[in-house]
Amino acid sequence: MAHRNPYYQRGDFDGDGKTDFAVLCREKVDQQKTRLAILTGDKKVHWLDRDDLLQYPTLEAWHIVEKGETVYESPFANGDPPVLTGDALMIIKLESSSALVYWNGKRFVSYWQGD
């Protein structure tokens, strides 16, 4: 795994007014495998494991998209762009694709930005 800097991001990802952390974690047994976790201010851990509602590219770069920023409609996503009620993560595979990971009020989901 290539080194990611920073290996964590700080924001209010669930929109509750408390500081949360998104952390890139390496598995203890297999140092090549990574997972993303969001540690919320109410001491919950949300693992960002891919499923039908949460898809994102291999993380090569990432940054915060602040609450209230406009998310524009993407030709690569289904449905309307989200209105962010908390900060979001833009997860990027350089020169390839990106997805916005955000809290929808119940869980973390994604909105594909580019492919």
Side-chain angles (χ1 to χ4, degrees):
M1 177 183 96
H3 176 72
R4 297 291 163 258
N5 191 10
Y7 66 91
Y8 75 93
Q9 298 281 351
R10 184 177 75 187
D12 177 15
F13 300 113
D14 58 3
D16 66 356
K18 298 176 184 173
T19 300
D20 307 320
F21 293 90
V23 183
L24 179 62
C25 305
R26 288 187 188 185
E27 288 191 8
K28 192 173 188 176
V29 175
D30 182 351
Q31 291 287 306
Q32 296 302 310
K33 290 185 180 180
T34 61
R35 290 176 78 188
L36 287 171
I38 298 208
L39 312 168
T40 58
D42 60 0
K43 299 183 174 100
K44 292 182 183 173
V45 177
H46 299 268
W47 290 101
L48 299 184
D49 295 328
R50 293 173 178 92
D51 62 21
D52 290 343
L53 298 175
L54 181 60
Q55 293 291 320
Y56 53 87
T58 301
L59 190 153
E60 292 183 352
W62 60 342
H63 64 86
I64 301 293
V65 176
E66 293 183 2
K67 171 185 173 178
E69 282 191 41
T70 301
V71 178
Y72 294 98
E73 186 174 357
S74 169
F76 304 102
N78 294 325
D80 294 329
V83 175
L84 299 179
T85 58
D87 297 329
L89 291 171
M90 181 66 73
I91 298 178
I92 304 163
K93 180 172 175 71
L94 299 173
E95 299 183 26
S96 178
S97 56
S98 61
L100 186 71
V101 174
Y102 66 96
W103 181 254
N104 72 359
K106 296 180 182 177
R107 59 167 286 173
F108 287 96
V109 296
S110 58
Y111 185 75
W112 210 257
Q113 294 289 285
D115 194 37

